[in-house]
Amino acid sequence: MADSTDPDSRDAPADAAPAPPRFGEALRFWLKLGLISFGGPAGQIAIMHNELVERRRWVTEKRFLNALNFCMLLPGPEAQQLATYNGWQLHRARGAIAAGVLFVLPSALLLWALGFAYMRFGDVAPVAAALDGLKAAVLAIVAAAGLRIGRKALQGPVHWALAAGAFVALFFLGVPFPAVVVGAALLGWLRSRRAVAGEVGPPGPEELEGPGGGGGGAGRALLGPQRGAPEQARRRGGGGLRDAGL
């Protein structure tokens, strides 16, 4: 049973925003994430959402989803980029480096160990059978993660219609992925212009903050519009340029 005095084993109190996590506490979390992040990007993002938004409330729903949308547009692994960004929000450059490195280090070591075992022992039947059995479990993890994030990100009929249209365009019409992304961005921009002009209503509370209005759960979150960026994540002088250089 986990010790009740361990900060990593407690959920944040529901009646107030949690205190900023110490760097050591965040370091343990990023290591834990690297050890349990199975299921590819969908599973990894779902685990981050559950831990950062719902359980620990270090980040609000809106801030997490905005960062996820931005990382999806960048080339490279979006789950690692999202972890790096959240690490930067909490502890600036050292937080970003810790999150980014620990996100991939455990899997890299495991890959090295599996490669060594294969080179040393060849095709081991029990290992091959175990990996084959994991396929169904990984598929279930990915499906559950997609449903979990979808329920949080898709707020309202417009979002659902865009998601359905993107699915049809990708899997049935063969439209290239960049074209779908650009088309969705243009539609979102046009909708925002119409909202400014008064032709459509402004986004509702759930579109701004997700269910519950705070961080995906009861109570306020540490990082969110109602509190702004924490002191350790605010730029001073050339801090932004140094962080970008790192």
Side-chain angles (χ1 to χ4, degrees), residues 20-185:
R22 298 185 300 274
F23 181 68
E25 181 182 356
L27 199 66
R28 289 192 296 272
F29 167 71
W30 297 123
L31 177 60
K32 170 188 172 183
L33 180 65
L35 292 170
I36 66 173
S37 56
F38 297 98
Q44 295 160 349
I45 291 170
I47 293 173
M48 270 190 283
H49 180 274
N50 179 66
E51 289 285 340
L52 293 175
V53 178
E54 296 182 353
R55 179 170 179 258
R56 301 169 191 267
R57 298 205 318 276
W58 290 349
V59 183
T60 60
E61 189 84 55
K62 176 179 172 62
R63 192 181 289 262
F64 184 90
L65 293 178
N66 285 345
L68 174 60
N69 292 336
F70 181 71
C71 291
M72 290 292 289
L73 292 175
L74 298 176
E78 63 270 16
Q80 184 184 15
Q81 293 164 351
L82 182 61
T84 302
Y85 176 73
N86 282 313
W88 177 85
Q89 285 191 108
L90 294 170
H91 297 101
R92 298 194 63 171
R94 63 174 182 167
I97 294 172
V101 171
L102 292 177
F103 189 83
V104 298
L105 184 61
S107 60
L109 294 176
L110 178 60
L111 180 63
W112 177 85
L114 290 174
F116 175 81
Y118 179 79
M119 295 298 295
R120 178 67 176 82
F121 302 107
D123 190 6
V124 182
V127 175
L131 293 177
D132 188 64
L134 286 175
K135 292 179 182 178
V138 170
L139 180 60
I141 291 173
V142 172
L147 289 173
R148 186 183 189 91
I149 294 296
R151 290 194 185 102
K152 299 291 185 179
L154 303 179
Q155 302 295 331
V158 174
H159 289 168
W160 282 100
L162 282 174
F167 178 81
V168 171
L170 287 170
F171 289 95
F172 294 101
L173 303 180
V175 178
F177 176 75
V180 173
V181 172
V182 172

